[in-house]
mmCIF file of all heavy atoms in Angstrom:
data_model
loop_
_atom_site.group_PDB
_atom_site.id
_atom_site.type_symbol
_atom_site.label_atom_id
_atom_site.label_comp_id
_atom_site.label_asym_id
_atom_site.label_seq_id
_atom_site.Cartn_x
_atom_site.Cartn_y
_atom_site.Cartn_z
ATOM 1 N N THR A 1 0.857 -1.182 0.000
ATOM 2 C CA THR A 1 0.000 0.000 0.000
ATOM 3 C C THR A 1 0.892 1.231 0.000
ATOM 4 O O THR A 1 1.885 1.289 0.728
ATOM 5 C CB THR A 1 -0.908 0.006 1.238
ATOM 6 O OG1 THR A 1 -1.703 -1.180 1.238
ATOM 7 C CG2 THR A 1 -1.821 1.222 1.229
ATOM 8 N N LEU A 2 0.554 2.206 -0.824
ATOM 9 C CA LEU A 2 1.370 3.404 -0.967
ATOM 10 C C LEU A 2 0.620 4.625 -0.440
ATOM 11 O O LEU A 2 -0.597 4.727 -0.574
ATOM 12 C CB LEU A 2 1.722 3.631 -2.444
ATOM 13 C CG LEU A 2 2.404 2.459 -3.155
ATOM 14 C CD1 LEU A 2 2.538 2.761 -4.634
ATOM 15 C CD2 LEU A 2 3.759 2.169 -2.540
ATOM 16 N N LYS A 3 1.375 5.532 0.159
ATOM 17 C CA LYS A 3 0.810 6.794 0.637
ATOM 18 C C LYS A 3 1.442 7.918 -0.165
ATOM 19 O O LYS A 3 2.637 8.200 -0.032
ATOM 20 C CB LYS A 3 1.082 6.980 2.131
ATOM 21 C CG LYS A 3 0.513 8.276 2.695
ATOM 22 C CD LYS A 3 0.834 8.404 4.176
ATOM 23 C CE LYS A 3 0.280 9.712 4.738
ATOM 24 N NZ LYS A 3 0.625 9.866 6.189
ATOM 25 N N ALA A 4 0.661 8.532 -1.047
ATOM 26 C CA ALA A 4 1.166 9.582 -1.930
ATOM 27 C C ALA A 4 0.730 10.956 -1.435
ATOM 28 O O ALA A 4 -0.409 11.139 -1.001
ATOM 29 C CB ALA A 4 0.660 9.352 -3.360
ATOM 30 N N ASP A 5 1.664 11.906 -1.495
ATOM 31 C CA ASP A 5 1.373 13.287 -1.106
ATOM 32 C C ASP A 5 1.574 14.163 -2.330
ATOM 33 O O ASP A 5 2.693 14.281 -2.848
ATOM 34 C CB ASP A 5 2.300 13.722 0.029
ATOM 35 C CG ASP A 5 1.999 15.138 0.504
ATOM 36 O OD1 ASP A 5 0.891 15.640 0.200
ATOM 37 O OD2 ASP A 5 2.859 15.756 1.155
ATOM 38 N N TRP A 6 0.482 14.757 -2.797
ATOM 39 C CA TRP A 6 0.535 15.578 -4.006
ATOM 40 C C TRP A 6 0.515 17.056 -3.656
ATOM 41 O O TRP A 6 -0.185 17.487 -2.742
ATOM 42 C CB TRP A 6 -0.653 15.278 -4.907
ATOM 43 C CG TRP A 6 -0.658 13.882 -5.449
ATOM 44 C CD1 TRP A 6 -1.208 12.778 -4.870
ATOM 45 C CD2 TRP A 6 -0.064 13.435 -6.661
ATOM 46 N NE1 TRP A 6 -0.996 11.679 -5.648
ATOM 47 C CE2 TRP A 6 -0.299 12.045 -6.761
ATOM 48 C CE3 TRP A 6 0.649 14.078 -7.687
ATOM 49 C CZ2 TRP A 6 0.142 11.297 -7.846
ATOM 50 C CZ3 TRP A 6 1.091 13.329 -8.765
ATOM 51 C CH2 TRP A 6 0.833 11.960 -8.825
ATOM 52 N N GLU A 7 1.297 17.850 -4.387
ATOM 53 C CA GLU A 7 1.231 19.293 -4.221
ATOM 54 C C GLU A 7 -0.081 19.818 -4.821
ATOM 55 O O GLU A 7 -0.698 19.172 -5.656
ATOM 56 C CB GLU A 7 2.414 19.962 -4.923
ATOM 57 C CG GLU A 7 3.768 19.643 -4.293
ATOM 58 C CD GLU A 7 4.897 20.362 -4.990
ATOM 59 O OE1 GLU A 7 4.624 21.008 -6.022
ATOM 60 O OE2 GLU A 7 6.032 20.283 -4.501
ATOM 61 N N ARG A 8 -0.454 20.980 -4.364
ATOM 62 C CA ARG A 8 -1.656 21.598 -4.907
ATOM 63 C C ARG A 8 -1.446 21.916 -6.384
ATOM 64 O O ARG A 8 -0.373 22.377 -6.789
ATOM 65 C CB ARG A 8 -1.977 22.886 -4.138
ATOM 66 C CG ARG A 8 -3.257 23.570 -4.596
ATOM 67 C CD ARG A 8 -3.550 24.784 -3.737
ATOM 68 N NE ARG A 8 -4.746 25.475 -4.201
ATOM 69 C CZ ARG A 8 -5.229 26.561 -3.635
ATOM 70 N NH1 ARG A 8 -4.619 27.073 -2.572
ATOM 71 N NH2 ARG A 8 -6.317 27.142 -4.111
ATOM 72 N N ALA A 9 -2.453 21.668 -7.206
ATOM 73 C CA ALA A 9 -2.346 21.897 -8.638
ATOM 74 C C ALA A 9 -2.107 23.381 -8.929
ATOM 75 O O ALA A 9 -2.679 24.265 -8.287
ATOM 76 C CB ALA A 9 -3.608 21.420 -9.347
ATOM 77 N N VAL A 10 -1.223 23.652 -9.898
ATOM 78 C CA VAL A 10 -0.884 25.021 -10.302
ATOM 79 C C VAL A 10 -1.731 25.418 -11.504
ATOM 80 O O VAL A 10 -2.000 24.608 -12.394
ATOM 81 C CB VAL A 10 0.617 25.126 -10.633
ATOM 82 C CG1 VAL A 10 0.962 26.518 -11.164
ATOM 83 C CG2 VAL A 10 1.449 24.811 -9.398
ATOM 84 N N GLU A 11 -2.136 26.684 -11.536
ATOM 85 C CA GLU A 11 -2.901 27.220 -12.656
ATOM 86 C C GLU A 11 -2.023 28.150 -13.492
ATOM 87 O O GLU A 11 -1.240 28.930 -12.953
ATOM 88 C CB GLU A 11 -4.123 27.989 -12.147
ATOM 89 C CG GLU A 11 -5.120 27.113 -11.385
ATOM 90 C CD GLU A 11 -6.217 27.910 -10.723
ATOM 91 O OE1 GLU A 11 -5.978 29.081 -10.358
ATOM 92 O OE2 GLU A 11 -7.324 27.361 -10.564
ATOM 93 N N VAL A 12 -2.152 28.028 -14.802
ATOM 94 C CA VAL A 12 -1.431 28.911 -15.719
ATOM 95 C C VAL A 12 -2.386 30.035 -16.119
ATOM 96 O O VAL A 12 -3.510 29.782 -16.555
ATOM 97 C CB VAL A 12 -0.947 28.148 -16.965
ATOM 98 C CG1 VAL A 12 -0.222 29.095 -17.920
ATOM 99 C CG2 VAL A 12 -0.028 27.006 -16.550
ATOM 100 N N ARG A 13 -1.916 31.284 -15.972
ATOM 101 C CA ARG A 13 -2.787 32.443 -16.187
ATOM 102 C C ARG A 13 -2.266 33.321 -17.329
ATOM 103 O O ARG A 13 -1.060 33.376 -17.592
ATOM 104 C CB ARG A 13 -2.900 33.269 -14.904
ATOM 105 C CG ARG A 13 -3.517 32.476 -13.755
ATOM 106 C CD ARG A 13 -3.546 33.262 -12.459
ATOM 107 N NE ARG A 13 -4.131 32.471 -11.385
ATOM 108 C CZ ARG A 13 -5.428 32.410 -11.122
ATOM 109 N NH1 ARG A 13 -6.281 33.125 -11.858
ATOM 110 N NH2 ARG A 13 -5.886 31.661 -10.140
ATOM 111 N N SER A 14 -3.187 33.979 -17.979
ATOM 112 C CA SER A 14 -2.818 34.887 -19.057
ATOM 113 C C SER A 14 -2.127 36.118 -18.474
ATOM 114 O O SER A 14 -2.630 36.707 -17.509
ATOM 115 C CB SER A 14 -4.062 35.312 -19.850
ATOM 116 O OG SER A 14 -3.722 36.296 -20.810
ATOM 117 N N PRO A 15 -1.007 36.554 -19.051
ATOM 118 C CA PRO A 15 -0.308 37.723 -18.499
ATOM 119 C C PRO A 15 -0.963 39.048 -18.870
ATOM 120 O O PRO A 15 -0.655 40.082 -18.280
ATOM 121 C CB PRO A 15 1.091 37.612 -19.118
ATOM 122 C CG PRO A 15 0.858 36.920 -20.424
ATOM 123 C CD PRO A 15 -0.263 35.957 -20.173
ATOM 124 N N ARG A 16 -1.861 39.021 -19.838
ATOM 125 C CA ARG A 16 -2.512 40.264 -20.256
ATOM 126 C C ARG A 16 -3.858 39.950 -20.902
ATOM 127 O O ARG A 16 -4.188 38.800 -21.135
ATOM 128 C CB ARG A 16 -1.628 41.040 -21.234
ATOM 129 C CG ARG A 16 -1.266 40.275 -22.502
ATOM 130 C CD ARG A 16 -0.351 41.096 -23.401
ATOM 131 N NE ARG A 16 0.005 40.386 -24.636
ATOM 132 C CZ ARG A 16 1.037 39.596 -24.762
ATOM 133 N NH1 ARG A 16 1.837 39.383 -23.713
ATOM 134 N NH2 ARG A 16 1.293 39.004 -25.928
ATOM 135 N N GLU A 17 -4.597 40.997 -21.192
ATOM 136 C CA GLU A 17 -5.912 40.842 -21.811
ATOM 137 C C GLU A 17 -5.773 40.686 -23.311
ATOM 138 O O GLU A 17 -4.847 41.218 -23.927
ATOM 139 C CB GLU A 17 -6.772 42.069 -21.496
ATOM 140 C CG GLU A 17 -8.191 41.990 -22.018
ATOM 141 C CD GLU A 17 -8.967 43.275 -21.753
ATOM 142 O OE1 GLU A 17 -8.547 44.315 -22.288
ATOM 143 O OE2 GLU A 17 -9.960 43.213 -21.012
ATOM 144 N N GLY A 18 -6.691 39.942 -23.912
ATOM 145 C CA GLY A 18 -6.679 39.812 -25.363
ATOM 146 C C GLY A 18 -7.539 38.651 -25.825
ATOM 147 O O GLY A 18 -7.999 37.838 -25.026
ATOM 148 N N MET A 19 -7.735 38.575 -27.133
ATOM 149 C CA MET A 19 -8.494 37.466 -27.708
ATOM 150 C C MET A 19 -7.526 36.354 -28.113
ATOM 151 O O MET A 19 -6.479 36.604 -28.703
ATOM 152 C CB MET A 19 -9.295 37.919 -28.922
ATOM 153 C CG MET A 19 -10.050 36.775 -29.610
ATOM 154 S SD MET A 19 -11.165 37.343 -30.913
ATOM 155 C CE MET A 19 -12.460 38.107 -29.927
ATOM 156 N N VAL A 20 -7.922 35.114 -27.776
ATOM 157 C CA VAL A 20 -7.110 33.963 -28.130
ATOM 158 C C VAL A 20 -7.230 33.725 -29.629
ATOM 159 O O VAL A 20 -8.321 33.438 -30.138
ATOM 160 C CB VAL A 20 -7.554 32.706 -27.336
ATOM 161 C CG1 VAL A 20 -6.693 31.506 -27.748
ATOM 162 C CG2 VAL A 20 -7.458 32.951 -25.838
ATOM 163 N N THR A 21 -6.117 33.866 -30.341
ATOM 164 C CA THR A 21 -6.127 33.697 -31.799
ATOM 165 C C THR A 21 -5.432 32.406 -32.240
ATOM 166 O O THR A 21 -5.532 32.027 -33.413
ATOM 167 C CB THR A 21 -5.453 34.898 -32.478
ATOM 168 O OG1 THR A 21 -4.146 35.101 -31.905
ATOM 169 C CG2 THR A 21 -6.286 36.153 -32.274
ATOM 170 N N ALA A 22 -4.738 31.761 -31.341
ATOM 171 C CA ALA A 22 -4.108 30.464 -31.631
ATOM 172 C C ALA A 22 -3.975 29.720 -30.316
ATOM 173 O O ALA A 22 -3.770 30.335 -29.258
ATOM 174 C CB ALA A 22 -2.745 30.630 -32.308
ATOM 175 N N ASP A 23 -4.086 28.401 -30.393
ATOM 176 C CA ASP A 23 -4.070 27.600 -29.157
ATOM 177 C C ASP A 23 -3.375 26.267 -29.425
ATOM 178 O O ASP A 23 -3.773 25.535 -30.323
ATOM 179 C CB ASP A 23 -5.520 27.374 -28.689
ATOM 180 C CG ASP A 23 -5.616 26.435 -27.507
ATOM 181 O OD1 ASP A 23 -4.631 26.330 -26.752
ATOM 182 O OD2 ASP A 23 -6.673 25.797 -27.346
ATOM 183 N N SER A 24 -2.334 25.979 -28.659
ATOM 184 C CA SER A 24 -1.627 24.698 -28.784
ATOM 185 C C SER A 24 -1.670 23.926 -27.470
ATOM 186 O O SER A 24 -0.812 23.103 -27.197
ATOM 187 C CB SER A 24 -0.172 24.922 -29.212
ATOM 188 O OG SER A 24 0.509 25.728 -28.277
ATOM 189 N N CYS A 25 -2.689 24.181 -26.670
ATOM 190 C CA CYS A 25 -2.831 23.528 -25.366
ATOM 191 C C CYS A 25 -3.599 22.217 -25.527
ATOM 192 O O CYS A 25 -4.582 22.141 -26.271
ATOM 193 C CB CYS A 25 -3.574 24.449 -24.406
ATOM 194 S SG CYS A 25 -3.801 23.773 -22.737
ATOM 195 N N TYR A 26 -3.130 21.194 -24.840
ATOM 196 C CA TYR A 26 -3.856 19.917 -24.789
ATOM 197 C C TYR A 26 -3.430 19.162 -23.532
ATOM 198 O O TYR A 26 -2.313 19.336 -23.028
ATOM 199 C CB TYR A 26 -3.589 19.074 -26.031
ATOM 200 C CG TYR A 26 -2.143 18.734 -26.280
ATOM 201 C CD1 TYR A 26 -1.551 17.614 -25.695
ATOM 202 C CD2 TYR A 26 -1.357 19.548 -27.095
ATOM 203 C CE1 TYR A 26 -0.213 17.304 -25.925
ATOM 204 C CE2 TYR A 26 -0.024 19.242 -27.312
ATOM 205 C CZ TYR A 26 0.544 18.123 -26.735
ATOM 206 O OH TYR A 26 1.863 17.824 -26.948
ATOM 207 N N ALA A 27 -4.333 18.361 -23.015
ATOM 208 C CA ALA A 27 -4.042 17.589 -21.805
ATOM 209 C C ALA A 27 -2.884 16.631 -22.067
ATOM 210 O O ALA A 27 -2.865 15.920 -23.072
ATOM 211 C CB ALA A 27 -5.281 16.815 -21.354
ATOM 212 N N GLY A 28 -1.928 16.631 -21.161
ATOM 213 C CA GLY A 28 -0.764 15.770 -21.302
ATOM 214 C C GLY A 28 0.438 16.469 -21.890
ATOM 215 O O GLY A 28 1.537 15.900 -21.922
ATOM 216 N N ARG A 29 0.276 17.699 -22.359
ATOM 217 C CA ARG A 29 1.408 18.417 -22.948
ATOM 218 C C ARG A 29 2.363 18.894 -21.867
ATOM 219 O O ARG A 29 1.965 19.552 -20.908
ATOM 220 C CB ARG A 29 0.929 19.624 -23.758
ATOM 221 C CG ARG A 29 2.107 20.457 -24.274
ATOM 222 C CD ARG A 29 1.719 21.728 -24.972
ATOM 223 N NE ARG A 29 2.908 22.544 -25.235
ATOM 224 C CZ ARG A 29 2.896 23.675 -25.925
ATOM 225 N NH1 ARG A 29 1.768 24.133 -26.446
ATOM 226 N NH2 ARG A 29 4.015 24.353 -26.113
ATOM 227 N N PRO A 30 3.663 18.607 -22.004
ATOM 228 C CA PRO A 30 4.647 19.168 -21.066
ATOM 229 C C PRO A 30 4.943 20.617 -21.450
ATOM 230 O O PRO A 30 5.096 20.937 -22.634
ATOM 231 C CB PRO A 30 5.872 18.266 -21.255
ATOM 232 C CG PRO A 30 5.740 17.721 -22.632
ATOM 233 C CD PRO A 30 4.262 17.635 -22.925
ATOM 234 N N LEU A 31 4.996 21.500 -20.476
ATOM 235 C CA LEU A 31 5.227 22.917 -20.743
ATOM 236 C C LEU A 31 6.700 23.254 -20.518
ATOM 237 O O LEU A 31 7.244 23.009 -19.444
ATOM 238 C CB LEU A 31 4.344 23.780 -19.835
ATOM 239 C CG LEU A 31 2.824 23.563 -19.978
ATOM 240 C CD1 LEU A 31 2.074 24.554 -19.122
ATOM 241 C CD2 LEU A 31 2.400 23.671 -21.442
ATOM 242 N N ARG A 32 7.325 23.819 -21.544
ATOM 243 C CA ARG A 32 8.747 24.165 -21.488
ATOM 244 C C ARG A 32 8.922 25.660 -21.702
ATOM 245 O O ARG A 32 8.259 26.253 -22.564
ATOM 246 C CB ARG A 32 9.532 23.396 -22.550
ATOM 247 C CG ARG A 32 9.374 21.880 -22.464
ATOM 248 C CD ARG A 32 10.164 21.189 -23.570
ATOM 249 N NE ARG A 32 10.009 19.739 -23.507
ATOM 250 C CZ ARG A 32 9.068 19.060 -24.151
ATOM 251 N NH1 ARG A 32 8.194 19.720 -24.894
ATOM 252 N NH2 ARG A 32 8.997 17.749 -24.048
ATOM 253 N N GLY A 33 9.805 26.234 -20.928
ATOM 254 C CA GLY A 33 10.112 27.646 -21.100
ATOM 255 C C GLY A 33 10.635 27.920 -22.496
ATOM 256 O O GLY A 33 11.384 27.124 -23.068
ATOM 257 N N GLY A 34 10.226 29.062 -23.070
ATOM 258 C CA GLY A 34 10.652 29.412 -24.416
ATOM 259 C C GLY A 34 9.648 29.014 -25.480
ATOM 260 O O GLY A 34 9.751 29.461 -26.628
ATOM 261 N N GLU A 35 8.669 28.147 -25.131
ATOM 262 C CA GLU A 35 7.638 27.744 -26.077
ATOM 263 C C GLU A 35 6.375 28.576 -25.829
ATOM 264 O O GLU A 35 6.250 29.263 -24.821
ATOM 265 C CB GLU A 35 7.333 26.257 -25.936
ATOM 266 C CG GLU A 35 8.517 25.353 -26.271
ATOM 267 C CD GLU A 35 8.180 23.887 -26.139
ATOM 268 O OE1 GLU A 35 7.057 23.567 -25.674
ATOM 269 O OE2 GLU A 35 9.024 23.045 -26.496
ATOM 270 N N SER A 36 5.429 28.482 -26.760
ATOM 271 C CA SER A 36 4.184 29.224 -26.644
ATOM 272 C C SER A 36 3.011 28.278 -26.426
ATOM 273 O O SER A 36 2.941 27.221 -27.063
ATOM 274 C CB SER A 36 3.944 30.059 -27.906
ATOM 275 O OG SER A 36 2.669 30.685 -27.853
ATOM 276 N N LEU A 37 2.126 28.667 -25.536
ATOM 277 C CA LEU A 37 0.924 27.872 -25.271
ATOM 278 C C LEU A 37 -0.264 28.386 -26.067
ATOM 279 O O LEU A 37 -1.122 27.620 -26.494
ATOM 280 C CB LEU A 37 0.607 27.890 -23.778
ATOM 281 C CG LEU A 37 -0.519 26.979 -23.295
ATOM 282 C CD1 LEU A 37 -0.144 25.513 -23.496
ATOM 283 C CD2 LEU A 37 -0.838 27.244 -21.825
ATOM 284 N N LEU A 38 -0.298 29.720 -26.289
ATOM 285 C CA LEU A 38 -1.372 30.327 -27.069
ATOM 286 C C LEU A 38 -0.907 31.694 -27.579
ATOM 287 O O LEU A 38 0.160 32.182 -27.204
ATOM 288 C CB LEU A 38 -2.660 30.452 -26.242
ATOM 289 C CG LEU A 38 -2.591 31.098 -24.851
ATOM 290 C CD1 LEU A 38 -2.502 32.614 -24.936
ATOM 291 C CD2 LEU A 38 -3.809 30.703 -24.026
ATOM 292 N N ALA A 39 -1.710 32.262 -28.439
ATOM 293 C CA ALA A 39 -1.432 33.603 -28.964
ATOM 294 C C ALA A 39 -2.596 34.520 -28.597
ATOM 295 O O ALA A 39 -3.756 34.109 -28.641
ATOM 296 C CB ALA A 39 -1.236 33.564 -30.476
ATOM 297 N N LEU A 40 -2.266 35.760 -28.254
ATOM 298 C CA LEU A 40 -3.270 36.770 -27.945
ATOM 299 C C LEU A 40 -3.152 37.889 -28.965
ATOM 300 O O LEU A 40 -2.071 38.473 -29.132
ATOM 301 C CB LEU A 40 -3.064 37.326 -26.531
ATOM 302 C CG LEU A 40 -3.256 36.359 -25.367
ATOM 303 C CD1 LEU A 40 -2.944 37.046 -24.039
ATOM 304 C CD2 LEU A 40 -4.677 35.798 -25.348
ATOM 305 N N GLY A 41 -4.264 38.155 -29.648
ATOM 306 C CA GLY A 41 -4.248 39.218 -30.650
ATOM 307 C C GLY A 41 -3.224 38.990 -31.740
ATOM 308 O O GLY A 41 -2.645 39.949 -32.263
ATOM 309 N N GLY A 42 -2.984 37.713 -32.089
ATOM 310 C CA GLY A 42 -2.050 37.404 -33.160
ATOM 311 C C GLY A 42 -0.597 37.354 -32.738
ATOM 312 O O GLY A 42 0.282 37.130 -33.585
ATOM 313 N N VAL A 43 -0.306 37.536 -31.449
ATOM 314 C CA VAL A 43 1.081 37.520 -30.956
ATOM 315 C C VAL A 43 1.254 36.330 -30.004
ATOM 316 O O VAL A 43 0.484 36.187 -29.043
ATOM 317 C CB VAL A 43 1.441 38.832 -30.226
ATOM 318 C CG1 VAL A 43 2.876 38.772 -29.692
ATOM 319 C CG2 VAL A 43 1.255 40.020 -31.151
ATOM 320 N N ASP A 44 2.246 35.479 -30.291
ATOM 321 C CA ASP A 44 2.510 34.337 -29.419
ATOM 322 C C ASP A 44 2.908 34.808 -28.023
ATOM 323 O O ASP A 44 3.728 35.720 -27.872
ATOM 324 C CB ASP A 44 3.646 33.481 -29.981
ATOM 325 C CG ASP A 44 3.209 32.662 -31.177
ATOM 326 O OD1 ASP A 44 1.995 32.443 -31.318
ATOM 327 O OD2 ASP A 44 4.083 32.254 -31.966
ATOM 328 N N VAL A 45 2.321 34.161 -27.019
ATOM 329 C CA VAL A 45 2.693 34.433 -25.624
ATOM 330 C C VAL A 45 3.674 33.343 -25.201
ATOM 331 O O VAL A 45 3.300 32.175 -25.094
ATOM 332 C CB VAL A 45 1.458 34.438 -24.702
ATOM 333 C CG1 VAL A 45 1.878 34.767 -23.274
ATOM 334 C CG2 VAL A 45 0.435 35.451 -25.200
ATOM 335 N N VAL A 46 4.922 33.721 -24.981
ATOM 336 C CA VAL A 46 5.979 32.769 -24.679
ATOM 337 C C VAL A 46 5.996 32.474 -23.182
ATOM 338 O O VAL A 46 5.810 33.375 -22.348
ATOM 339 C CB VAL A 46 7.348 33.306 -25.138
ATOM 340 C CG1 VAL A 46 8.473 32.339 -24.767
ATOM 341 C CG2 VAL A 46 7.328 33.546 -26.636
ATOM 342 N N MET A 47 6.220 31.205 -22.853
ATOM 343 C CA MET A 47 6.282 30.791 -21.452
ATOM 344 C C MET A 47 7.696 30.978 -20.890
ATOM 345 O O MET A 47 8.682 30.706 -21.580
ATOM 346 C CB MET A 47 5.866 29.322 -21.311
ATOM 347 C CG MET A 47 4.427 29.051 -21.664
ATOM 348 S SD MET A 47 3.997 27.285 -21.594
ATOM 349 C CE MET A 47 4.797 26.677 -23.089
ATOM 350 N N VAL A 48 7.770 31.439 -19.662
ATOM 351 C CA VAL A 48 9.039 31.588 -18.940
ATOM 352 C C VAL A 48 8.926 30.783 -17.653
ATOM 353 O O VAL A 48 8.012 31.000 -16.849
ATOM 354 C CB VAL A 48 9.353 33.070 -18.624
ATOM 355 C CG1 VAL A 48 10.569 33.172 -17.712
ATOM 356 C CG2 VAL A 48 9.603 33.841 -19.912
#
């Protein structure tokens, strides 16, 4: 029998206001700094 302790889930938030014009998010995707998860107003939002 195993006893697992999980950290609280983290939420990713938009850094600014805008309309989502592109989306590359999907369940199971690993998030790496320098890549983009979505675009706002036609501009890719890069993850840091």
Side-chain angles (χ1 to χ4, degrees):
T1 301
L2 305 173
K3 180 181 179 182
D5 182 18
W6 295 89
E7 293 182 354
R8 183 177 178 180
V10 175
E11 297 172 331
V12 179
R13 299 176 180 273
S14 174
R16 59 182 180 271
E17 183 184 62
M19 177 172 288
V20 179
T21 53
D23 174 25
S24 59
C25 181
Y26 59 87
R29 175 185 171 175
L31 300 185
R32 304 179 181 91
E35 297 181 354
S36 174
L37 187 65
L38 51 77
L40 295 177
V43 178
D44 286 339
V45 182
V46 177
M47 295 176 286
V48 172

